[in-house]
Amino acid sequence: MRLCPSILSADFARLGEEIAVVQRAGADFLHVDVMDAQFVPNLTFGSIIVDACRKLTSLPLDVHLMVVEPMRFLEGFARSGADHLTVHLEAVGGADGARAAARAIRDRGLRAGIAIKPGTPIERILPVIPEIDIALVMTVEPGAGGQAFLPESPERIARVRAAIDEGEHDCLLEVDGGIGPATIARAASAGADTFVAGNSVFRSSEPGGAAAALKALREALKPVKAPGGAGGTQARRA
Ligand code: DX5
Ligand code: ZN
């Protein structure tokens, strides 16, 4: 089970400290949300923030590209030190585009992810699973932090889990949006193994701040069996 704080909810005036706290608290990856005001309504930042994060942490940088024409930006993000690059299925025109994007990302030595929005039929991501390293099931409409986990998400996660296990694929199943102590177990029970969390980590009201928030997420995961079960993909990878 991997926890992946999203810096979208961090205090950018104290980005170094914020990242140091989650790294010390055992975060597995650091999630970086790139938005272009076209694929989603909001605008965030480009590769200079990935550059900055690279200098601030040794955590793998999990870069989520919510942009149209993501192929144009792969090289720049790879050079900036991204470890994972995830593009949207909807931004590359479906399965063939997703395969091409995944190849281009892997050719640069990075893990390749494909994300799917809540409104896109989940079947559309299934054919590309054998060729990707991360399947990112959005559990909110992409574009902003602090939204509520969509109730239809567990069923969608379970479909992706079944496809990964059936083909014994070495593919992470990441979820993003509305993940907090009250929802993480639902996503994990459905089969997610990698959890992005923005508001619940960086804007936590826990007295111990982001570190305590990460601990609370781990606690909430404890009763949940690792996806794949004994002999499943997770067990083999371990
Ligand atoms: C939303 C982004 C998320 C965002 C999640 O479009 O992709 O990564 O940071 O924020 P929370 O965890 O607050 O829903
Ligand atoms: Zn994201």
Side-chain angles (χ1 to χ4, degrees):
M1 299 287 195
R2 295 165 180 82
L3 296 182
C4 187
S6 167
I7 60 164
L8 189 63
S9 303
D11 177 355
F12 274 73
R14 301 172 39 252
L15 190 57
E17 289 163 56
E18 296 267 72
I19 293 175
V21 166
V22 295
Q23 179 161 358
R24 272 200 306 273
D28 297 281
F29 306 139
L30 193 70
H31 189 78
V32 183
D33 285 305
V34 177
M35 305 186 191
D36 68 351
Q38 286 194 73
F39 184 74
V40 291
N42 273 328
L43 182 62
T44 57
F45 39 70
S47 56
I48 59 167
I49 291 291
V50 175
D51 267 312
C53 291
R54 186 70 295 153
K55 292 185 187 125
L56 292 166
T57 182
S58 56
L59 286 175
L61 300 178
D62 183 56
V63 177
H64 178 191
L65 296 177
M66 284 162 276
V67 303
V68 298
E69 296 186 54
M71 300 292 276
R72 285 172 52 203
F73 303 105
L74 301 182
E75 179 63 24
F77 282 101
R79 279 177 192 270
S80 299
D83 297 281
H84 309 162
L85 278 180
T86 295
V87 306
H88 269 267
L89 187 69
E90 302 85 1
V92 290
D96 287 342
R99 284 190 194 95
R103 271 196 306 274
I105 295 166
R106 284 178 163 180
D107 284 350
R108 291 172 167 85
L110 278 62
R111 273 177 161 171
I114 296 295
I116 184 162
K117 298 209 284 183
T120 304
I122 199 70
E123 298 72 45
R124 297 213 184 136
I125 198 174
L126 305 183
V128 301
I129 285 175
E131 293 161 68
I132 63 178
D133 306 298
I134 303 166
L136 171 52
V137 176
M138 289 304 300
T139 45
V140 299
E141 191 58 39
Q147 304 178 76
F149 182 82
L150 291 169
E152 62 269 31
S153 302
E155 208 182 308
R156 291 166 62 80
I157 296 163
R159 295 283 303 278
V160 176
R161 178 84 258 155
I164 292 174
D165 287 350
E166 203 180 289
E168 300 190 357
H169 298 299
D170 192 6
C171 180
L172 296 176
L173 203 178
E174 183 171 42
V175 286
D176 183 5
I179 300 294
T183 54
I184 195 168
R186 261 194 280 164
S189 306
D193 53 38
T194 304
F195 306 87
V196 176
N199 267 36
S200 72
V201 170
F202 288 113
R203 303 203 182 168
S204 154
S205 51
E206 295 254 0
L214 278 176
K215 202 166 161 220
L217 291 175
R218 291 240 185 252
E219 285 298 318
L221 280 173
K222 274 192 183 156
V224 185
K225 194 165 82 57
T233 49
Q234 297 304 306
R236 269 195 311 281
R237 197 181 288 128

